[in-house]
Amino acid sequence: MEASNKFAWTWEIKEDCLEEYVNMHLEPWQEVIEEHSKAGITNYSIFQNGTQFFYCFECENVEAAFAYIAKSEACNRWNAITSKMVKGSFDFKEAETIQPLREVFYLK
C-alpha cells in the first residue's frame, strides 16, 4: 500500500480542562497557526469524542516540522498551557512524546 503524507494521533484531555482546551482550539493564537504553516503542516484537523481527541495533518517532513515547532517561542508558550491539560506529554524534548497512529488504509 502506498503511504500518505498524513500524521495522526490521539490524546485524552483531563475532564476538568476539557472546556478550556476546546475553547483554546476554537480561537487559536494566530502566531501558532502561522508557525505550523511555516513548519510545513497543512490540512490540520482535530476531532473530539468526549475527552478523546483525534489529530490529523499532512506534512512532507514531520521530523523537520516538529523540530521547527520545538524552537518556536509562540508554540512553546501555547504548549506550556495545553500540555497541562492532556493525559501524557507532548514535550518535544522528551523521548516519548506523540505516538503516531499506524496508517492501515489510504485512498488517493
Side-chain angles (χ1 to χ4, degrees), residues 64-78:
F66 282 178
Y68 180 90
I69 288 170
K71 294 176 185 171
S72 165
E73 188 269 330
C75 292
N76 282 318
R77 282 189 291 116
W78 176 276

Side-chain angles (χ1 to χ4, degrees), residues 20-33 78:
E20 182 181 5
Y21 188 83
V22 169
N23 288 336
M24 283 188 73
H25 287 83
L26 289 174
E27 295 187 33
W29 303 345
Q30 186 59 38
E31 58 197 322
V32 171
I33 299 295
W78 176 276

Side-chain angles (χ1 to χ4, degrees), residues 4-7 40-45 56-60 62:
S4 71
N5 62 343
K6 294 180 180 74
F7 187 87
I41 293 172
T42 61
N43 298 318
Y44 195 167
S45 296
C56 182
F57 63 76
E58 295 180 19
C59 185
E60 292 298 323
V62 172

Side-chain angles (χ1 to χ4, degrees), residues 3-23:
S4 71
N5 62 343
K6 294 180 180 74
F7 187 87
W9 73 97
T10 63
W11 264 327
E12 237 4 80
I13 303 303
K14 297 172 185 172
E15 190 99 25
D16 60 329
C17 298
L18 194 55
E19 184 177 352
E20 182 181 5
Y21 188 83
V22 169
N23 288 336

